[in-house]
Amino acid sequence: MKKLVVLMALGTALAGCDNASEPLAFTPEMASFSNEFDFDPLRGPVKAFTQTLVNDKGEVSKRVAGSLSAEGCFDTLEMHDLDASTSVSLVLDANYYRDAETLQQKIKLQGKCQLAELPAAGIVWETDDNGFVVAAHGKEMEVKYRYDSEGYPLGKTTVAAGQHLAVTATPSKDKRKKLDYTAMSSLNDKPVGSVKQTCDYDRHNNPLSCEMVIKDERATPAVTRKYTIENSIDYY
């Protein structure tokens, strides 16, 4: 009995140490890609993932899927917006992402796997000293991206055609629940919408499933839509 009590105490102590450990930060690639391509960032040794956005009718609205190398580079990335009937599938080839079907070079990379240039649109991305994409420039547009101290994307500001669109995210103060957030969108300093999300998490502090409420203030009266996000994540 004494041995059992000691083992239980040891297990509790170890669990306490594990809970006290800091969660992993978001890598520059994961944070930058999620900020640019509008999906939830993940942390830790992610090998592959799928994020599926489902509306309140049970219909799939959007799906994002990716696979990553052990170093954290995106080997593939698929983005399907079923509501808009658009689809993009990218595959890494040296310092370019190619269209998976046509093999056309789509995105030029800097370093091993960070965004550098979208040649067809004349867009160039800039990174900071830590490797995070912090700006994008085109002929008639400019984007600035923001992150917190852990690399979590805090939104972006886009200026194009005389319009100023800002998205600002505020994550939970609990570092293990960064994907519990609220986000506000404004156009020319006028509020146009908001998002509130809450999630269940796995042991890597990544979301397993989430509930999302989107409020569109451009409509009169404002329109509220509810979604669920179903995540599938494989780790190394």
Side-chain angles (χ1 to χ4, degrees):
M1 178 64 73
K2 182 177 181 180
K3 183 178 180 181
L4 178 60
V5 171
V6 171
L7 289 174
M8 291 176 63
L10 178 60
T12 302
L14 289 174
C17 290
D18 182 63
N19 288 337
S21 63
E22 289 290 315
L24 294 173
F26 299 90
T27 66
E29 292 77 20
M30 176 61 76
S32 301
F33 274 65
S34 67
N35 221 355
E36 176 63 37
F37 300 118
D38 192 26
F39 62 88
D40 286 341
L42 304 173
R43 30 183 163 195
V46 175
K47 184 176 183 179
F49 71 92
T50 301
Q51 296 181 7
T52 305
L53 182 68
V54 181
N55 64 26
D56 55 5
K57 297 179 181 179
E59 303 166 336
V60 175
S61 295
K62 181 179 179 181
R63 179 178 288 113
V64 177
S67 62
L68 294 88
S69 67
E71 294 77 22
C73 298
F74 280 87
D75 289 330
T76 63
L77 184 62
E78 299 179 23
M79 296 165 284
H80 307 282
D81 189 332
L82 281 73
D83 290 341
S85 298
T86 60
S87 182
V88 177
S89 183
L90 303 173
V91 58
L92 180 63
D93 180 24
N95 62 334
Y96 278 92
Y97 282 110
R98 294 181 180 271
D99 184 290
E101 294 185 3
T102 67
L103 299 183
Q104 179 183 359
Q105 292 179 341
K106 290 289 188 179
I107 299 174
K108 185 178 180 180
L109 303 177
Q110 56 178 306
K112 292 179 62 178
C113 50
Q114 185 56 288
L115 301 169
E117 184 179 356
L118 187 62
I123 295 174
V124 176
W125 287 284
E126 295 181 6
T127 56
D128 64 10
D129 292 340
N130 295 315
F132 289 84
V133 168
V134 292
H137 302 280
K139 186 177 181 180
E140 298 179 351
M141 57 82 70
E142 181 177 357
V143 186
K144 294 184 178 179
Y145 307 81
R146 302 180 301 279
Y147 309 86
D148 68 9
S149 60
E150 297 174 71
Y152 178 82
L154 295 176
K156 56 187 177 182
T157 302
T158 304
V159 178
Q163 302 291 306
H164 184 278
L165 176 63
V167 179
T168 301
T170 304
S172 167
K173 293 182 179 180
D174 186 340
K175 292 184 178 182
R176 298 179 181 277
K177 297 182 178 182
K178 285 283 189 177
L179 274 302
D180 286 13
Y181 71 88
T182 57
M184 305 297 295
S185 300
S186 64
L187 181 62
N188 298 330
D189 297 323
K190 180 180 179 180
V192 293
S194 63
V195 178
K196 183 177 177 61
Q197 179 171 293
T198 56
C199 305
D200 294 322
Y201 293 82
D202 65 14
R203 62 188 180 89
H204 292 277
N205 306 302
N206 285 324
L208 289 169
S209 61
C210 303
E211 300 292 329
M212 175 190 286
V213 178
I214 299 177
K215 185 177 182 181
D216 185 353
E217 296 183 21
R218 294 170 298 179
T220 304
V223 176
T224 299
R225 298 182 178 87
K226 296 182 179 181
Y227 296 87
T228 58
I229 302 175
E230 301 169 357
N231 292 337
S232 174
I233 308 172
D234 294 326
Y235 295 95
Y236 281 99

